[in-house]
Amino acid sequence: MMVRSILLFSIILSFVQAVPAESREVKKKSTKPITSTGNYFVKKEEKNFSLLMEARRFTRGEVIFLKLTPKDKKWINESYKVSWLGKDVILTKRENSMIAFLPISPDTPAGAMTLEIVSKIFFVKRGQKQYQIILEPTKFQVIKKNQQIKVDEKFVTKELPKEVLDFIQDCRNAKEAAFTKTSPLQFQKNFKNPLDTIFITSKFYVRRDYNNKQGRPHGGVDFRGKTGTPIYAIQDGTVVLAQKTYYEGNFTIIDHGNKIFSFYMHQDEIKVKVGEVVKQGQQIGTIGSTGMSTGPHLHLGAKINGVLVDPLSLIALQSISETN
């Protein structure tokens, strides 16, 4: 998947200054592409460290890749704390840098996003510094009522037999347990697409109606494909769920470490088992139409630190690989 890239030079100096409570917030200015890809990059050389932030866009539902590099190599083993939108961030040491993945919830309200770095080495006097940036406006698609989706009534009614309700609850418990798994970061490369041929049929966080009933926003991206088409892991990781579920059909969740998960729904076949370590590009299943589905397709999702994000924003990142 080709990724475009924009260097946001016009906002760099404002963005990386400390922002006290009384300071004005910084709005992102539009720029023309000056490189071959279209991601946004914010780069800054501070006195004691350099900062890199990359994102497809700084907006709701996206992922930001963060890299902090101390100017003195021996500082890499010092204690640092980073928080993003009020939540602690998991940092991983990568050679002479520290990296992290910052999710922006699709439900984040408009306003400034705050990144705080706490370090007595970086900031000798105050011990901490904040950076802020304004969210770009985002409007997620809403499917009109005359374009509603028809599914089996058993997926939209609450009047179900007890054994079915028990199965739904068991599935919910299994999913919650899988998403609470913790492990160190398990990958060093950029993410890749889950299919050989990419044709998107439904974007992230589209809101749709099912059988004249309002549905929840679409928590992933749908890819068209024929039944039996191979599905590949988008990144190295460990399988933490691989089973039949009520709504998701044949469902697989992969833990990539640092509370980063990808998940794959409606498969015809699951070709991995819980606990199996998989490599990026390894076949993990096949496209199908199991569960709450109207036809063969892959629903790909991603969750970071408990936050649903557009999986395409992970796949778009280009700064993860150590060689870049």
Side-chain angles (χ1 to χ4, degrees):
M1 177 179 180
M2 291 190 64
V3 185
R4 301 164 303 163
S5 184
I6 301 174
L7 177 62
L8 294 181
F9 182 76
S10 60
I11 71 163
I12 289 175
L13 296 180
S14 296
F15 176 82
V16 295
Q17 291 176 351
V19 184
E22 68 274 15
S23 294
R24 62 184 177 88
E25 295 168 335
V26 179
K27 290 186 178 180
K28 190 149 63 130
K29 300 177 182 179
S30 61
T31 61
K32 294 182 180 180
I34 60 174
T35 57
S36 60
T37 57
N39 284 5
Y40 293 112
F41 289 85
V42 173
K43 301 177 182 180
K44 175 61 178 178
E45 294 294 328
E46 293 278 21
K47 180 180 179 181
N48 293 322
F49 69 97
S50 62
L51 176 148
L52 165 70
M53 298 180 77
E54 180 199 359
R56 188 174 62 168
R57 290 179 63 198
F58 288 93
T59 191
R60 297 186 296 160
E62 298 288 302
V63 179
I64 299 173
F65 175 73
L66 172 70
K67 184 177 182 180
L68 298 174
T69 306
K71 293 293 179 67
D72 191 324
K73 293 181 179 180
K74 68 176 181 241
W75 291 345
I76 191 64
N77 295 317
E78 295 293 331
S79 176
Y80 304 97
K81 180 180 178 182
V82 174
S83 63
W84 170 247
L85 299 176
K87 295 180 69 173
D88 288 345
V89 171
I90 302 174
L91 293 171
T92 294
K93 295 177 184 177
R94 176 71 57 80
E95 293 186 345
N96 297 316
S97 301
M98 291 167 290
I99 64 171
F101 294 82
L102 315 178
I104 308 173
S105 169
D107 300 317
T108 299
M113 301 179 292
T114 301
L115 173 72
E116 182 178 65
I117 303 174
V118 179
S119 169
K120 293 182 179 179
I121 295 292
F122 288 167
F123 316 110
V124 179
K125 292 183 179 180
R126 294 189 176 184
Q128 61 85 29
K129 196 172 186 178
Q130 289 186 342
Y131 306 90
Q132 290 187 341
I133 191 169
I134 299 294
L135 278 171
E136 285 186 38
T138 305
K139 288 186 178 180
F140 296 112
Q141 184 181 5
V142 177
I143 302 298
K144 298 178 180 179
K145 289 186 177 181
N146 61 359
Q147 296 175 315
Q148 65 175 301
I149 297 174
K150 294 289 185 180
V151 296
D152 193 311
E153 190 65 23
K154 70 180 182 179
F155 293 115
V156 294
T157 182
K158 295 181 179 179
E159 299 177 359
L160 294 168
K162 183 179 183 302
E163 59 270 22
V164 175
L165 293 174
D166 289 343
F167 176 61
I168 293 173
Q169 185 59 51
D170 290 341
C171 295
R172 185 179 295 116
N173 293 341
K175 289 181 288 185
E176 290 177 356
F179 283 127
T180 59
K181 300 292 185 181
T182 58
S183 69
L185 199 65
Q186 300 186 42
F187 60 91
Q188 298 184 352
K189 300 176 292 186
N190 298 330
F191 286 76
K192 289 188 176 180
N193 283 312
L195 303 171
D196 289 324
T197 302
I198 299 300
F199 190 98
I200 296 172
T201 56
S202 184
K203 296 180 180 180
F204 178 73
Y205 234 58
V206 172
R207 194 194 60 72
R208 302 177 291 194
D209 292 338
Y210 299 91
N211 299 12
N212 292 314
K213 298 178 182 179
Q214 183 173 319
R216 293 181 298 176
H218 190 224
V221 175
D222 286 349
F223 299 86
R224 178 185 296 173
K226 295 182 180 179
T227 298
T229 300
I231 298 170
Y232 308 110
I234 64 173
Q235 189 56 274
D236 298 348
T238 303
V239 178
V240 290
L241 184 75
Q243 68 176 62
K244 179 181 179 180
T245 57
Y246 189 75
Y247 294 105
E248 298 85 359
N250 290 329
F251 189 33
T252 300
I253 301 176
I254 299 177
D255 170 20
H256 304 293
N258 286 12
K259 297 185 178 179
I260 301 170
F261 300 89
S262 62
F263 52 93
Y264 312 75
M265 294 164 47
H266 310 304
Q267 298 171 88
D268 186 58
E269 280 187 274
I270 298 174
K271 293 186 175 294
V272 290
K273 298 179 180 179
V274 171
E276 184 174 343
V277 176
V278 297
K279 291 295 182 181
Q280 180 187 78
Q282 177 180 334
Q283 184 179 356
I284 60 169
T286 60
I287 284 181
S289 186
T290 56
M292 186 175 172
S293 172
T294 59
H297 73 285
L298 166 65
H299 173 111
L300 175 69
K303 185 176 282 192
I304 298 178
N305 205 15
V307 176
L308 272 176
V309 295
D310 187 337
L312 297 182
S313 69
L314 267 176
I315 294 171
L317 294 175
Q318 293 294 293
S319 300
I320 302 171
S321 297
E322 292 182 339
T323 56
N324 284 0

